[in-house]
Amino acid sequence: MAGREGRRRVVLSVDLAARKLGLRPGTPIAKAQALYPDLVLMDADPEGDRLGLEKLALWFQHRIAPIVAVDAPDGLVLDTTGADHLHGGELPMLKDMVHRMAGAGFRAKAVVADTWGAAHALARYGRLAIAVVPSDKTTSALADLPVEALRLPSPIIEGLPTLGVSRIGPLAAMPRAPLALRFGPDVARRLDQAFGRMGEAIMPVRPVDPVEVSRNFAEPIGAAETIAKYIGKLVPLLCQGLDERGQGVRRLDLLLHRVDNRTEAIRVATAMPVRDVKRLTRLLCEKIETINPGFGIERMVLIASLAEPMDRRQTVSSLIAEEEADVSDLIDTLANRVGTQALYRFAPVESDLPERSFCRVPALAPEETKDWPEHWPRPTRLLARPEPVQAMAELPDQPPLFFIWRGVRRKVKCADGPERVFGEWWKNDAELTIARDYFRVEDTSGERFWLYRAGDGEHGETGSQGWFLHGIFG
């Protein structure tokens, strides 16, 4: 990508192939074309890149965390405090983010650190594509990175090597006064921001026309009871705005602006559109203990970052029909405590193979028209992977006389089967000849198991003829 730096036309960014040839951002275009005449050049579009990053930031704001800002020219910065639990923790959250970006055709790196500066440096100059830096390891993690990772202006980056400094660790150990005299205050400021000695505000992008209410305070507040009091005043106003639009909230963000220019955030999610004042107030108040008010909070902003249409429902009279039990409140409470990924139910899938006959769906997902098969009983507990067992059977179509599982020998008292299951050849060519014979067996102690033989007992191409335990009946 080519663009201008002052009066010069230079390379602004390169792909992996060009980087392997030795080209780097800042190389004059004339020099690059002279060295490689077949080089493909495209004019950079900084405005288009900026708009694209803002759209991506809004996408992340809807799905990951309420505080997301553009980290130009090629990154995003998120404050995930108070939202990572919804994604199963920091590491699963990062893996999901990188996976989603890969699915969209982007190669991304993601790092969680205590400061914007540290996360910026490690994401761009660190060795790992995904990393979570402990709070007490920030200094050591940054020490060996190049000084370019500190977001310093180009003249300072070019001047530091003349002092024999190329890494952050040695630079941080140098006296501040000579550095400030030669390069100005930027070096000390960026070091302090990276190591957390100076705060750095993240100005989040704003979703398009959300329902939003706010409250400014003449005197900063910090007590949990006071925060809860004003949450109780903001939620009814938000629900009133949602009611005017005929919407219910699915994701609710509470931003608390502190006097030291930092922002704390709480995010709660609901399984279905909601505008119940009591429920939303309770979900938010349960998260107050995660807030660090610092020296005080001067402004509170409540935003319905994700809202969906919500139809009005007539109250059911006990004289006409019985009201259906509403468990959505319980689902929301559990999901905001343990994370939405940890709360699910199983739904049937059309497949003969047991491990493919179900899938995880959200707890309140609409009921499917498919139903579980009833012609053959299925075990209460299906093992994540079939476990090999040692077994002895008289004939290929007979159940085992005994089997040894996890070091315990079990004698079979009675059995039912076989139920033959074939591989799904239309999905995988390797399953064209695969077969399994399943048996329900009960041992002498009364425990019941689901065993299968891999193969038909006669032909080697149908399977290994080994025995496996796949499930346990209640």
Side-chain angles (χ1 to χ4, degrees):
M1 303 296 292
R4 291 193 174 277
E5 285 186 357
R7 296 182 178 181
R8 298 191 310 160
R9 194 162 184 260
V10 298
V11 174
L12 294 183
S13 62
V14 295
D15 63 5
L16 184 59
R19 186 173 290 276
K20 288 181 178 179
L21 294 176
L23 295 177
R24 296 291 185 270
T27 305
I29 292 296
K31 179 181 178 181
Q33 288 181 314
L35 291 173
Y36 306 103
D38 296 333
L39 190 68
V40 177
L41 292 174
M42 297 179 64
D43 289 330
D45 181 12
E47 182 63 17
D49 291 344
R50 183 187 64 81
L51 293 175
L53 270 178
E54 288 183 357
K55 290 181 180 179
L56 191 61
L58 287 171
W59 187 88
F60 270 86
Q61 190 179 61
H62 287 163
R63 290 162 178 82
I64 305 297
I67 301 178
V68 183
V70 171
D71 189 13
D74 58 354
L76 300 175
V77 58
L78 298 80
D79 187 342
T80 60
T81 306
D84 48 27
H85 69 283
L86 295 175
H87 309 282
E90 292 177 337
L91 191 59
M93 176 186 67
L94 293 186
K95 290 180 179 179
D96 179 60
M97 289 164 56
V98 172
H99 177 72
R100 286 174 179 264
M101 294 296 290
F106 294 97
R107 180 174 174 267
K109 296 175 68 176
V111 173
V112 167
D114 281 350
T115 65
W116 179 351
H120 173 101
L122 290 164
R124 288 166 174 79
Y125 296 90
R127 295 179 180 179
L128 300 178
I130 298 175
V132 177
V133 182
S135 297
D136 58 344
K137 300 294 183 182
T138 302
T139 302
S140 58
L142 294 177
D144 199 42
L145 297 183
V147 293
E148 289 87 346
L150 287 175
R151 299 175 291 165
L152 293 168
S154 297
I156 297 179
I157 296 296
E158 295 170 359
L160 285 173
T162 62
L163 302 179
V165 179
S166 61
R167 301 288 169 181
I168 293 178
L171 178 63
M174 294 181 67
R176 295 290 182 91
L179 288 174
L181 185 62
R182 181 163 184 172
F183 299 110
D186 286 342
V187 175
R189 178 171 60 87
R190 289 304 192 189
L191 285 171
D192 288 342
Q193 288 174 343
F195 292 123
R197 294 188 287 263
M198 179 185 292
E200 187 173 8
I202 299 176
M203 302 303 296
V205 294
R206 307 299 298 170
V208 180
D209 195 24
V211 179
E212 175 182 327
V213 293
S214 61
R215 181 72 177 253
N216 296 317
F217 305 107
E219 294 292 335
I221 65 171
E225 297 82 2
T226 309
I227 295 173
K229 171 185 174 182
Y230 285 104
I231 288 176
K233 292 184 177 181
L234 289 177
V235 171
L237 298 176
L238 183 86
C239 291
Q240 182 180 347
L242 290 168
D243 185 50
E244 292 173 356
R245 297 190 183 188
Q247 294 179 328
V249 67
R250 285 290 310 278
R251 192 174 296 119
L252 192 60
D253 296 330
L254 178 64
L255 306 183
L256 303 106
H257 299 273
R258 304 188 337 188
V259 294
D260 59 358
N261 208 26
R262 292 191 60 180
T263 304
E264 294 285 316
I266 295 176
R267 166 165 285 188
V268 297
T270 60
M272 55 193 302
V274 173
R275 54 170 179 258
D276 184 335
V277 173
K278 289 184 178 180
R279 183 191 302 191
L280 295 176
T281 301
R282 178 174 51 78
L283 291 175
L284 287 170
C285 288
E286 287 180 351
K287 298 294 181 183
I288 290 179
E289 62 182 16
T290 65
I291 297 172
N292 177 14
F295 294 107
I297 296 166
E298 61 183 359
R299 187 167 185 256
M300 291 175 59
V301 182
L302 189 61
I303 306 172
S305 55
L306 179 61
E308 295 180 356
M310 182 178 178
D311 296 330
R312 297 180 182 273
R313 293 193 305 171
Q314 184 176 357
T315 303
V316 177
S317 171
S318 59
L319 299 175
I320 302 174
E322 231 178 276
E323 188 172 3
E324 295 182 3
D326 183 10
V327 297
S328 61
D329 192 7
L330 174 62
I331 296 296
D332 292 342
T333 301
L334 294 175
N336 284 283
R337 289 180 181 176
V338 302
T340 54
Q341 295 179 341
L343 206 63
Y344 55 85
R345 64 179 178 84
F346 292 114
V349 176
E350 291 182 353
S351 176
D352 288 332
L353 291 177
E355 60 267 31
R356 297 178 187 166
S357 63
F358 64 93
C359 65
R360 293 182 179 185
V361 297
L364 293 180
E367 291 290 340
E368 297 283 345
T369 56
K370 304 170 188 173
D371 201 357
W372 302 102
E374 298 179 352
H375 54 284
W376 284 98
R378 290 293 183 257
T380 307
R381 177 190 173 196
L382 192 71
L383 300 184
R385 290 184 179 85
E387 297 186 11
V389 299
Q390 298 177 22
M392 174 68 72
E394 291 181 347
L395 295 172
D397 58 349
Q398 293 295 316
L401 299 175
F402 69 87
F403 66 95
I404 301 174
W405 177 52
R406 296 182 179 178
V408 179
R409 180 187 176 97
R410 300 176 184 272
K411 185 177 180 181
V412 175
K413 179 182 178 182
C414 57
D416 187 16
E419 173 195 357
R420 179 156 292 180
V421 174
F422 293 97
E424 297 176 338
W425 51 266
W426 58 92
K427 292 183 178 179
N428 189 347
D429 291 340
E431 298 182 18
L432 183 62
T433 58
I434 295 299
R436 297 177 184 173
D437 283 344
Y438 279 88
F439 293 88
R440 283 185 297 147
V441 303
E442 182 178 332
D443 67 4
T444 53
S445 64
E447 295 184 81
R448 294 185 296 158
F449 303 91
W450 206 36
L451 299 172
Y452 76 84
R453 181 186 57 241
D456 60 5
E458 299 182 70
H459 304 93
E461 66 272 12
T462 60
S464 65
Q465 312 305 322
W467 286 87
F468 296 84
L469 190 144
H470 204 170
I472 301 173
F473 288 90

